[in-house]
Each structure stands twice: as C-alpha cells, then as structure tokens.
Amino acid sequence: MGRISKKLLLCLLAVSSLTVSGSVYADSEGSEAAPQAALAADKGTEPEKAKRYEAVEKAELSAEDAEKYLRKIGSADGFDVYIREEKFEDKLWDAAGGKPKSKKDYTEEQKLLADKIAELKKLGRLVAIDTKTGQAAASFKNGNGCDEGELWVSDAGRFFVITDKDETKVIRLRQVVSTLDSKYAFISADGETLELLRKDMKRPDEIFEYDGKEDGKAVYKSESGSFAWLTADKKHFLGAFRRGAENDSFRMLIDDRTAIFGIENKETGYIWWSSPLEASQDRLATGLLADELRSSNMLRYGVPLSRSGNNMLRSGSETDCTFTVSDIPNGIRVMYSYTGAGFKVPVEYTLEDDHLRAMVKVSEIQETNSANIATEMTVLGSFGAASDKEEGYFVIPDGSGALVRFNNQRTLQNNIYQQRVYGADVTAVPQNRGAVSEQIYMPVYGIVKEDNALLAVAAKGDSNAYLTANVSKQSNSSYNICNFTFILRGTDSFYMSGNNRDKYTVFERGAIKSDDIEMLYYPISKKGADYVDVAERYRQYLLDEQGVKIRSKADSAPLYLDLYGGVMKKKPVLGIPVSLKTSVTDYGQAAEIIGGLRDGGVGNMVVSYNNWTNDGMKNKVDTDGKPSGKLGGKSDFRALADLISDSGYSLYPVSDNRDFRSGNGYYSFSDTSVRVSGSYSRIVSYDKAYGVPDGFRKNLSLLSPSYYPEIFSDIAENYSKAGLSGAAPVNLTASLYGDYGKKSISRAKAEKLLTEGYAKLDEKLSGGILADGANAYALPYVSHITGVPETSSRFDLFDEDIPFYQIVLHGVIPYSAAAVNGSPDPERALLMAAATGSNLSYDMIYEETGELKDTDLDGLYYANYKGWTDTAAEDYRLLAPLLGAVSDSFITGYEQKGDIITTEFSNGTVVTADLGAMTVRYNGSVIELGRNKEKGES
C-alpha cells in the first residue's frame, strides 16, 4: 500500500519571559525565608533568582511618635494599634499654641510638628506598632462594617484588624500567611488559628483551628467540616478544601475559592491535583505564569479587526476571571466569567466510577463582546503537573510513542513539544514543506510518578486538539507540564502582493463549530506503575467505551504485501511528451509474485493493491472498482483474486480518494476543500532537496469531506458487487481536515462523516478495512493496520522511544510496521518486529525500478520483487512461529536496557531481542538474524 508521507509542520511555542510589578518575594533582609521550591539543577550551583516577592508594608512610624501623636485603642498578637482621630491635626496645633497663618511664621518646633503631621497623613487611620521592634508594621486606611464591628485591611494586605464599631477597642489582629499564596488567608501569632476573608476583603469568611501535622502539612479544621493546609513551617498557605463527591475508590477535594480540586485515592491517599498547590511559591515563575499554573481553565481569543489572535485569559488571575462553584450530581460546575473580554465558559467536573470527567459544552460558551472571538481553550492545563523535586515522565503518543522525563534539562524554548492530534489540517497548505515527523494517532497522554500513573484521554474535541509538553525551566517555571489545548475556531494566513513578509491572520467565520470538549483522567495506583500500565488502561478504554472489536486471531501471522499496479509516466509521442498509463505490476505479474511467496512458505498473506484501476493511476476519484485494461482487464484480475482467495489470503484493493484531479463527476473548482482564508486547498508536491513547491508537478486538489458519504457508499456498493471482500481507503484513515468554505465542515464534523463511512465499509465488506496508519476514531472499524510507526518523531525534548501504539493494539487488531525492504536497516526492522509483535510488510513491483523515474512512485526505488521475494519468504518462515504464538495476546511488559529488549505477553511468552547480537529468544528457541550469520532457528 502507498506510503503516507507524514508531513507535519512542527509548531514551536515561543514562551517569553513575563514580568509583573507589585509583589515581593521573601528574599530581602528581614523577610521570611523563601521556600526551596526550585533549586538549581546541579549540586553546587546557585539557586535561581526569585522573580516574585512577598508584598511589603511601607508604613514608617516609631512607637514613641505613635504614643505621642495618636490614640492607642488596644493590643493584639504582639502589636499595639493606634488610631488617628478625625481632627487630630487641629488638636496637635492647639496643644502647640495654635497654627500660624503663614509657614514663614513657623518656629523650629512648629516646622517639626508640621512635618510630623504631613508624615502622619500619609498613613492610614490605623497604625500597628510591632512591640518587639518599636516600629510601625502596617497602616490601615479604611474599615468596613462586619458582624463584629469594623474590619481593617492593611495597605499592602499583610494584616487585618477587627475593632468594635466605635473604633475604641481592638478585637483581634491577624497576619497574612503569604501574599504570594493568597491575600485572603491570615494566621494568629501563635499559629493556632487560621482565618479566611471573603473575596471582597470586607468581612471574615471562615475560621480554622490547628489540628496537628499530617503528611508533612499543618492541618487546620473548621466547624463546617472544611479543612485547610499550610506547609509544615506554617509559612505558606496551600488551600482550604471541602470534601465533595466520592465513590468506592475516589474522593474529590474542592477549594471553592480558587476552583482548584484534587482526586484522592481512598486506598492509598495519593491525590492528583488540578493545579499544583505550591505553584504560587515557584521561584522561577513570574506572577503571570504562576496564575497560569493555578488556572483550571485558560481561554485564548482573537480580535478579527486587529488580526490579533494571541490574547490569553487565565482563570487563576483575578484580573482576568471571576468564577462561581456550584455542586452538581457527582461533582461541581464552575462558571468562569472573563467579563473584561466578554466570555463566560461553564465547565463540569464529575467523579465517575474510576475516573474524573471534565466537560465543556461549546454551545454554552457565551461571547458577549462582538469584537472578540474565542479561538482556543485549555482545560485543566496543569493537571498532575510535576515539580522539579519529583521523578517521573510523560508518555507522549507521538508516532510509536515517546517518554519525556521530568527535569531533563532540555530547556531551550524551541524544544517545547506541541503537535496537533491526528496530524495537521492539510487544508492549510504551508508555503514550504515543514519538518517531516510522525503524527499523534491517539488522543491521549500519560503521567508516571512515584507508584502512580495517570491516563488522560481527550474523549471529545480530540479532532481539534493539540498536545503540549514541556519540562521544568523550559516552562519558565519549576514545573513539568503536559496538556491538551482545544481549537474552537481555526485560523489561517494569507499573503498580500505576493510578499511572504506581508502575512495576515484570518479566523474561521461564524459560531463555534468544534465538538464539545471532554477530558477523562484515569488514575492508576500500582507498585512500579509505568507506561505499559498507561497503555493497558487505554486499551481497556477502547474496548469498553469506544466499541473497538478484538479482530486478532490465535496462531495468525500474516505477511503484508503492498503491490503497485500502474502509474502515469511521460513518454514521447511524435516527439511530444505525453502522460501515459504505464504498468509496473500487472495482474499476471502480481499473481507471479504472490505465487512465489506462497511457494516459499508464506502461509498467510494480506495483499493490498495500489493503482489497480485507470482512475487510481490518474489520481481521479476512484470508487467504481473496475480493473484496468492496461494491467490485464477483468479476467486477469479475477484470476488474481481467485488465486489469493484459494490460497487462504486476503485482498484489499486500494481506493485512494483524498487528493484528486478533476474527473468522474468531481471537479477541482467545486468539490475542493476551502481554507479558512477562503482560497482553494491544493496539495503541493515539494522539491525533495529544498522543501519548496516543485513547479514541474501539477498540484492535486483536496476532496471536500462533504463527499465522504457518497464516496464510501459507492466503494461499499461497487466493491461488493465486484465480489471484493475488503477495501483500503489509504489516506482517509490517518488524515483529518475540514472544509471552511460554504460547506462549513469542521474537523469534528469531518471525523463524524469518516466514521459513518468506515461503518458502511465494515458492514458491507466481509474483510472490512485495511488501514495504512489509523487514527483512534478509525480503530472500531478497521480489520488490519499497516505502516505502524516504529519510532517517534524523535524531537529534542524526547528521552526515549517506546512502542505505546503497539502495546495498546497488540492482540486487538493485527498490524505491521513499515515495509522491511524500505528500511535502511532491514535486520533491525525484523528484530523490532519480533520485540513489538509487528507482522512483516514488504513493498513490491514487478518491473525494474528505473521505470518509476519522474513518476509519483519514484520513492519505491527499493521495491523490485526479484531482490526481495526469497528474502521475504525466508524472514516470514523465521518469525511467523513467534508472531503466531503471541498473535492474540496483549503486551503486558516491555523494557529496553541497552541493546536488550524484553517483551512479556499475556499468554506467558517472553521475547528477548538482542539488537547487538541480532538474536531473538522465546520459549526456548533462538532466531539468528545477523547480516553475516546463517539464518535459522534452533
């Protein structure tokens, strides 16, 4: 089957260092000691300089002057409190013999008095004097009426005082725990009482009493049953929580004041937090980034008139967002109000039997400012974030899969990982070919730390999601972060006057058309939990929740053979170059290749046949299933099909209809997808050396998804009538894109149309679908998958590759890796096939590969059957016993140490592949695959 060229534009997220003013961190002399939230990575180096500081009171007054000029109203917690009376200035002048009419008449004593009065006027009405230092600790401008009298908050927010209503007596004084953590949490001098103010800072909200230490935290409890946590030294406030929904396994802990919550495992006590509790103490993060870490919701919006699309709103920022938390069955509903920008976003967080569910109905997102439109949303962007003190890794489903280990010191901003789920939207054709990379086939990621792991699944909105991962310092904070962001409206760029520098951003028009957003978080608690546990949990999710059927059979190890029939090639006719249909593997030749493999001992084979029709060769929409006369016609094709059937093999003729040229009722000016910018989407051939458009090859058109129902119905009907039992739709199982013109089809709608089409093929054709690469939404409908990636994209951020895709699907759907003969190291490809349970695959054509020069198939320079038929049969004979022995078993363990890979299967088989010695061991057998060794099994 044709190779999918995975051209995924690598998005580099440039995160600039942001600064804010107004707060101070406790680094200065006389302040509290700063917590060690982010020490330097290497021992012996200096800690990073703090970017945020505790607030500082600026009141200046001695105890002597306070006693002399102000009236003392009481003492509390080591502070004397003085009040500046209403007409204090007149009283002071009267006591000094009266105020002269002119400053020039002041005596020296009167000048000193005038200066002191001016100094006192700069202070608030109340002043607190620290009895230990004899100096002012804070001043308080105004009081607000409360149940107990008057509540006064100091100028910098570090103290509050409650006096009686007549302002003659101090009832109590409290100091803030930390202005970095919360401006509402205050503690008594003895540390026994914690008090929270309401958000309007006008009255007390709840009082907590110290209840001892637990798990390294100071615990406070209130009469309502709520509890609050401080760090063990009581210098930092972590939050105030109530217990929410719970079931047999988990319990929600909810902070209504911040909308931060945790999921507690009732058996182990481990808690997964929506945001890190100590984010506000991060020495590396600016105030803005600390707000981002504390945000359970972030919304990006665009301003179409100014063509601005990079405006971010954070729920953890009080200047951006207010919110209300209300209880609903099994959880909470949070209404995030971004009043300044004109958005309201409701999100429901509910506790299900074994997971947390976060749900956003996009129809309920309110946009009240006509100048602004919502473009992207991140739900629980800091869920499970790991500090730089924690060990573990993220599981990234890029290609086969990869691990990003926490704190791996890959801190350059251009190393941040950000990729679109299911690949880029190919409607937006780039000016130049981007970095060639693998794509994300599964809308998941994993977190592994301590003896706990977590599977995060984008159950809805996956068609419009992209995955971001970065490590500590690289994130401009001390935290390692991984999350999904969901695109609500697409954007595109167009260029004016043919100048690539004059780029303009345009937005998808109309209401939000993306799917609802639903994130599922599955906690996994197990001794030594690892990425295999994450993959196993996702496999269970696919089988239980997504309707994926187990199609793998016992003792089945097919060889996947990808044949190519014909191609358009320019040949001279009367001296004029003309594109003519040219055979490279006709039906008789295909039968010869298959017969040779059969005679060589290949007992099970899945054959896909590319370009077997005239329409396929010409890149026209191909649904009729009519064999090409150039390749031999109907009778020869029927003979080939009978040979395949009689041999017990399976045939999957290819119908490749994503990229097309006009013809067969489909036209490039009416049936092509339209970009967000309004222009037609053309599939460009790029120059292999320079990555710029190849001017010698005509562009193809991109078929609008609106034709999927018609395309799939025609294939199902016509293939069935032709007696064909299976089909291979090639690009349409691993490519997802929209049509943003008048047809107005989002990627979410396109995904729905695709799955409806897959269902028709799977129902109508007994052999179902052979997919060349399969996105997760295709998995319930495919019978075979080829081209499963052996590696990740190997971005700089990645620490190692893992076979995550294979672990998820082995024993569920039979699959093969890329063609062995297309690999630069065939022996290693065979070893990896054995280690990951991948069936073998080969590309073959009959004619000499020189015939492919300057054609669409020129990448198959390695595929002439003469050099590979015997080798493929021999490789099959070597590995088929192993692959058949585990064909219907799940992978339950996978580990690579140096050159040694050990794979455990659910039926008890253990496979050990030695990449250095080129051997495979299993069930007492040894397979020798070394290039210079005689192949054989003992």
Side-chain angles (χ1 to χ4, degrees), residues 585-601:
T585 311
D586 66 29
Y587 304 135
Q589 293 166 341
E592 183 180 337
I593 294 172
I594 293 169
L597 289 168
R598 180 191 61 189
D599 295 342

Side-chain angles (χ1 to χ4, degrees), residues 642-912:
D642 289 343
L643 169 66
I644 292 173
S645 177
D646 294 343
S647 301
Y649 303 158
S650 301
L651 174 63
Y652 288 87
V654 170
S655 179
D656 188 359
N657 295 309
R658 192 194 75 171
D659 311 335
F660 75 101
R661 290 193 171 96
S662 290
N664 294 347
Y666 295 89
Y667 302 101
S668 59
F669 288 105
S670 59
D671 304 324
T672 300
S673 284
V674 175
R675 299 170 57 161
V676 172
S677 62
S679 60
Y680 289 114
S681 183
R682 307 297 188 199
I683 302 301
V684 176
S685 294
Y686 296 99
D687 180 88
K688 289 181 174 61
Y690 301 101
V692 297
D694 186 343
F696 294 99
R697 294 191 178 183
K698 292 183 179 179
N699 295 339
L700 298 174
S701 296
L702 184 67
L703 184 69
S704 170
S706 63
Y707 294 101
Y708 289 164
E710 181 179 323
I711 292 290
F712 283 107
S713 292
D714 288 348
I715 295 173
E717 188 67 27
N718 293 329
Y719 277 39
S720 179
K721 286 181 179 178
L724 299 172
S725 60
V730 196
N731 278 318
L732 292 184
T733 56
S735 181
L736 185 63
Y737 58 93
D739 182 347
Y740 306 102
K742 293 181 180 179
K743 295 182 177 71
S744 189
I745 297 175
S746 66
R747 278 180 43 130
K749 186 175 180 180
E751 179 184 323
K752 185 174 184 295
L753 294 173
L754 280 171
T755 55
E756 290 172 352
Y758 302 151
K760 290 177 183 177
L761 290 183
D762 190 37
E763 178 183 358
K764 193 78 172 177
L765 303 176
S766 60
I769 298 171
L770 184 146
D772 190 1
N775 288 331
Y777 54 80
L779 295 178
Y781 312 98
V782 301
S783 299
H784 300 270
I785 306 173
T786 60
V788 171
E790 297 177 0
T791 70
S792 72
S793 300
R794 293 179 171 169
F795 291 117
D796 290 341
L797 186 64
F798 294 169
D799 289 286
E800 63 183 273
D801 288 348
I802 59 170
F804 183 82
Y805 193 98
Q806 290 89 336
I807 295 171
V808 170
L809 290 183
H810 196 277
V812 179
I813 301 172
Y815 58 80
S816 74
V820 173
N821 56 337
S823 170
D825 190 345
E827 281 78 13
R828 183 182 176 89
L830 294 173
L831 287 163
M832 293 306 299
T836 59
S838 299
N839 293 298
L840 304 183
S841 173
Y842 293 84
D843 294 333
M844 292 191 192
I845 66 169
Y846 191 89
E847 301 294 344
E848 293 295 334
T849 54
E851 283 293 311
L852 305 179
K853 184 180 179 182
D854 296 328
T855 73
D856 292 340
L857 300 181
D858 57 8
L860 293 170
Y861 54 85
Y862 55 84
N864 180 260
Y865 84 103
K866 291 179 182 177
W868 286 105
T869 306
D870 292 341
T871 301
E874 184 180 8
D875 291 341
Y876 176 84
R877 293 196 305 271
L878 283 172
L879 290 184
L882 163 59
L883 297 174
V886 298
S887 61
D888 61 343
S889 298
F890 299 151
I891 294 177
T892 57
Y894 186 91
E895 183 180 44
Q896 180 168 1
K897 291 184 176 180
D899 284 339
I900 307 299
I901 300 174
T902 304
T903 311
E904 299 174 10
F905 292 87
S906 58
N907 67 354
T909 298
V910 177
V911 176
T912 303

Side-chain angles (χ1 to χ4, degrees), residues 138-267:
S139 72
F140 307 76
K141 286 188 172 61
N142 299 299
N144 292 287
C146 65
D147 294 341
E148 299 170 89
E150 293 283 320
L151 183 144
W152 307 70
V153 179
S154 64
D155 298 345
R158 295 195 62 84
F159 298 85
F160 80 73
V161 171
I162 294 181
T163 67
D164 62 353
K165 291 188 181 298
D166 296 328
E167 302 170 357
T168 60
K169 181 175 66 174
V170 173
I171 297 175
R172 66 180 178 278
L173 176 147
R174 298 285 184 259
Q175 299 184 55
V176 74
V177 179
S178 167
T179 56
L180 294 176
D181 301 333
S182 171
K183 64 181 181 181
Y184 309 108
F186 294 79
I187 194 169
S188 60
D190 60 9
E192 293 295 314
T193 302
L194 178 70
E195 195 160 350
L196 298 183
L197 298 184
R198 293 185 181 179
K199 283 199 170 183
D200 60 7
M201 303 291 286
K202 293 182 178 180
R203 60 193 64 218
D205 188 23
E206 194 167 11
I207 297 176
F208 300 80
E209 299 296 335
Y210 181 62
D211 193 56
K213 292 183 179 179
E214 183 178 333
D215 295 331
K217 297 183 287 288
V219 180
Y220 291 76
K221 293 185 178 179
S222 73
E223 293 182 357
S224 70
S226 297
F227 61 94
W229 286 340
L230 271 64
T231 52
D233 59 8
K234 300 182 180 180
K235 291 183 177 181
H236 288 284
F237 176 72
L238 301 178
F241 308 94
R242 62 181 173 90
R243 291 176 175 83
E246 66 178 286
N247 55 34
D248 293 341
S249 302
F250 301 102
R251 176 190 295 119
M252 289 187 76
L253 306 178
I254 304 162
D255 187 339
D256 293 309
R257 297 167 180 85
T258 62
I260 291 174
F261 60 89
I263 305 301
E264 180 184 11
N265 184 312
K266 293 167 69 172
E267 180 180 352

Side-chain angles (χ1 to χ4, degrees), residues 332-376:
I332 57 175
R333 175 185 171 94
V334 184
M335 175 63 80
Y336 301 93
S337 299
Y338 302 101
T339 307
F343 300 101
K344 284 189 176 182
V345 182
V347 186
E348 293 182 357
Y349 306 102
T350 55
L351 190 62
E352 309 299 331
D353 288 342
D354 61 349
H355 64 278
L356 170 75
R357 175 176 174 266
M359 179 71 181
V360 182
K361 294 181 179 179
V362 297
S363 61
E364 295 181 358
I365 296 176
Q366 300 177 36
E367 300 173 293
T368 58
N369 185 337
S370 59
N372 301 333
I373 58 172
T375 57
E376 293 182 2

